[in-house]
Amino acid sequence: MTMTKTTPFRDSLSEPDILFDVIIIGAGIAGIRAGQLLQAAGLSVHVLDKGRRIGGRCATRRSAGYLFNHGAQFFTAADGDFQSAVIDAKTKGAVASWDICHHKPTYIGTPSMRDFATSLAGSLPVTQEVKIISLTAHNGIYQLEDEAGHSYQAKHVVVTAPAPQAATLVKSAAPDLAKTAQSASYDPCWTVMLGLAQAPDVSHPILRDATPIGWACLEQARGIDNQLPALTIQADPKASIALLDKSPEEVCTHLIAAYEEHTKVTLDISHRSAHRWLYARVAQPADNTAPHATKDAGIVLAGDWFGKARLETAFLSGSRAAHSILQARG
């Protein structure tokens, strides 16, 4: 099972005599996939993540009794390895088909998007709420420090943070990799989560590309039983940029009004909240042929920002990171 952070456990992780083969920064799909392969190869691996739950943008929030999938909404699988991972998760009941694209199969985590990430992680050890702020090299060993002053040691480090954060973290120890990360850019995304006293009578439970709304979905449209009616609305990139510095309440008001105008319904809202994804959609990916690892694979980059902002891209980037380390170790 995955482990959430407790202070004694974190303290034991940062004892000077503990040296991991690999520390992975970030418990999104890229970090989980890299850790999965490296652990299977017999290396000592630990994942450190600044969030409270694994999955990255494969995200789910439960609030006031409501469930919201407020990050990635669905995913596709073209690569054989990713298809195998999806089939395995589906066998375990953590993935379901969701027929919303006529030209290719689409999938969702079940009962929530985060359950796919949890299934993929398996027994991978993950410690949450640890934000790494420093990465340096000393005699072939990498030293990491978190914002609480704890330090960690590893022979290899995989950095799967969003590109701007990755660039800042590796700029001293691996300036060439920092340049790679600096070449990627993102669009933000505001997401509004609405708990409803009753489900609205709308003919289309999913609304797409209806400016300023990029996506809106009644969570019950996913086929999840026994859930209170909930609506997730995501602003399109242009609107998210325009609303970037607005308060959550202002964003809620704006997107609720837009949704009601498009659907011609009045929502009966009992709960509202908003989340700003600063690094949501990859606007400009890094060149996939640009350096992603130091020569000895001491530091390796991974993330969906090496391509389109898809879970599959993150998965494949995590695979590449793991293979780079295994190849360097012979």
Side-chain angles (χ1 to χ4, degrees):
M1 68 176 62
T2 57
M3 291 180 286
T4 53
K5 180 210 73 172
T6 62
T7 301
F9 179 66
R10 184 177 66 176
D11 287 346
S12 68
L13 272 180
S14 61
E15 289 176 358
D17 59 341
I18 295 181
L19 174 63
F20 291 98
D21 289 322
V22 186
I23 284 179
I24 298 171
I25 301 173
I29 297 299
I32 290 171
R33 175 56 173 172
Q36 180 190 50
L37 293 176
L38 293 166
Q39 185 184 59
L43 302 187
S44 60
V45 180
H46 204 93
V47 182
L48 303 176
D49 186 84
K50 69 177 183 179
R52 298 177 63 184
R53 300 287 187 273
I54 71 169
R57 285 190 292 277
C58 195
T60 303
R61 178 180 294 184
R62 298 178 188 272
S63 182
Y66 298 96
L67 183 148
F68 305 97
N69 292 289
H70 67 299
Q73 294 297 309
F74 61 88
F75 54 96
T76 58
D79 174 81
D81 285 343
F82 190 53
Q83 288 176 345
S84 296
V86 171
I87 291 170
D88 180 64
K90 196 171 183 179
T91 301
K92 296 174 181 175
V95 163
S97 296
W98 197 27
D99 187 18
I100 59 170
C101 293
H102 298 300
H103 60 288
K104 56 185 172 182
T106 52
Y107 306 94
I108 53 173
T110 183
S112 74
M113 284 294 290
R114 191 174 62 231
D115 286 286
F116 171 56
T118 302
S119 174
L120 188 66
S123 63
L124 189 65
V126 181
T127 302
Q128 306 290 158
E129 298 183 78
V130 176
K131 182 178 180 180
I132 298 300
I133 60 172
S134 173
L135 170 59
T136 56
H138 299 282
N139 299 321
I141 301 299
Y142 291 93
Q143 307 281 345
L144 299 86
E145 183 175 334
D146 67 23
E147 62 182 358
H150 297 86
S151 60
Y152 313 84
Q153 297 185 95
K155 299 174 184 177
H156 304 269
V157 179
V158 180
V159 181
T160 73
Q165 297 172 349
T168 299
L169 195 57
V170 305
K171 66 180 180 181
S172 175
D176 286 348
L177 301 192
K179 290 180 181 179
T180 297
Q182 288 166 351
S183 70
S185 63
Y186 294 80
D187 287 327
C189 179
W190 268 109
T191 299
V192 167
M193 293 157 278
L194 304 174
L196 307 176
Q198 62 181 12
D201 183 15
V202 291
S203 57
H204 299 289
I206 298 170
L207 178 66
R208 300 194 201 191
D209 303 324
T211 304
I213 295 169
W215 171 272
C217 179
L218 289 169
E219 294 293 347
Q220 283 62 40
R222 298 172 178 273
I224 302 171
D225 296 328
N226 301 318
Q227 295 288 346
L228 297 175
L231 174 65
T232 301
I233 305 173
Q234 293 184 326
D236 66 15
K238 185 177 179 180
S240 292
I241 292 170
L243 296 168
L244 189 64
D245 296 321
K246 299 297 184 181
S247 70
E249 183 57 36
E250 288 176 299
V251 173
C252 285
T253 299
H254 185 80
L255 292 183
I256 290 168
Y259 182 85
E260 292 182 333
E261 180 181 352
H262 280 288
T263 60
K264 308 304 179 186
V265 302
T266 300
L267 297 172
D268 188 358
I269 301 168
S270 58
H271 168 82
R272 70 181 67 191
S273 61
H275 179 83
R276 187 184 69 175
W277 295 98
L278 193 55
Y279 308 116
R281 302 178 178 93
V282 178
Q284 175 62 53
D287 184 348
N288 212 35
T289 64
H292 75 283
T294 56
K295 290 182 178 180
D296 61 353
I299 300 176
V300 187
L301 301 176
D304 64 359
W305 47 273
F306 277 102
K308 295 181 179 179
R310 296 175 178 170
L311 297 191
E312 183 171 15
T313 305
F315 179 93
L316 295 177
S317 183
S319 295
R320 183 174 73 164
H323 292 316
S324 295
I325 290 174
L326 294 175
Q327 184 177 19
R329 293 175 65 92

